[in-house]
Amino acid sequence: MAIRWHAEACDLAPDAVSGAGICRLTAAAMHSTNLYFEQPHSSPCGRFVAFGRAQHSDPRLPPTQLWVADLERLKVAHIDSDIVSTWFATSSWSGQVFYLRGNGELIKVDLATLERQIVLTHWPLASEVVLWSVTPDLRYLVTAMNAPDYHCEIIRVDLHGGAWEIIHR
């Protein structure tokens, strides 16, 4: 699929206190959120940043779109719309973002090249899980689920085969 870059950025008035220039990167009539956790959802150089976008009030909740911003060119590109996972997983500064599609595929996107790859054809857990983190070697995805007895379980999913196990309860 060809990726089209869109110019949405607009310059705003300078900050009243510091005088710093302000540029709003997104201007679409949708709700956008940067994926700001302890792990940056960006390319190693920091030029490309992933963000979620949705028509409803909370773009962290599905259905969500994945977009990537090019901070040097001040342009954004739509990557995928068929996202059912809550949030996107990454490994710090890896430049890789993982998400779950409606057909059950776990997808990995390289933020620098925008190349998409199917990691797992059949996600082994419920689609409602929050995708939290990926290990630095990109081997395991870590998530959490609520057990029927209301305890939280931390789960590790093997990205080479789809096997999963509870690693903490």
Side-chain angles (χ1 to χ4, degrees):
M1 176 178 100
I3 301 294
R4 291 185 36 221
W5 289 93
H6 308 271
E8 289 186 9
C10 62
D11 292 328
L12 304 177
D15 179 72
V17 176
S18 68
I22 299 174
C23 179
R24 178 179 292 149
L25 183 60
T26 63
M30 295 178 78
H31 294 273
S32 298
T33 185
N34 187 341
L35 307 175
Y36 44 83
F37 289 107
E38 292 80 16
Q39 302 181 47
H41 290 68
S42 66
S43 59
C45 65
R47 175 178 172 178
F48 301 100
V49 178
F51 65 96
R53 183 176 271 182
Q55 292 180 339
H56 51 81
S57 61
D58 191 344
R60 295 172 300 172
L61 304 176
T64 304
Q65 298 175 1
L66 175 63
W67 288 70
V68 172
D70 180 337
L71 299 180
E72 284 184 12
R73 297 186 320 152
L74 296 178
K75 293 192 176 196
V76 296
H78 175 248
I79 305 303
D80 204 337
S81 292
D82 184 27
I83 299 173
V84 297
S85 53
T86 302
W87 289 109
F88 308 93
T90 191
S91 181
S92 291
W93 303 109
S94 68
Q96 309 293 314
V97 173
F98 296 77
Y99 62 91
L100 186 61
R101 298 194 82 228
N103 63 3
E105 294 173 336
L106 181 70
I107 305 294
K108 175 176 72 172
V109 176
D110 182 309
L111 297 179
T113 65
L114 304 184
E115 178 183 338
R116 290 188 292 179
Q117 175 186 353
I118 298 170
V119 177
L120 296 174
T121 56
H122 301 289
W123 176 248
L125 303 171
S127 63
E128 296 83 28
V129 300
V130 177
L131 302 184
W132 287 116
S133 184
V134 177
T135 57
D137 62 0
L138 305 179
R139 173 73 191 265
Y140 298 100
L141 187 144
V142 178
T143 186
M145 289 190 337
N146 291 323
D149 63 1
Y150 302 103
H151 283 90
C152 182
E153 299 172 334
I154 299 174
I155 297 171
R156 179 178 67 190
V157 179
D158 184 343
L159 298 179
H160 291 176
W164 62 276
E165 65 178 318
I166 298 169
I167 59 173
H168 184 74
R169 181 177 158 88

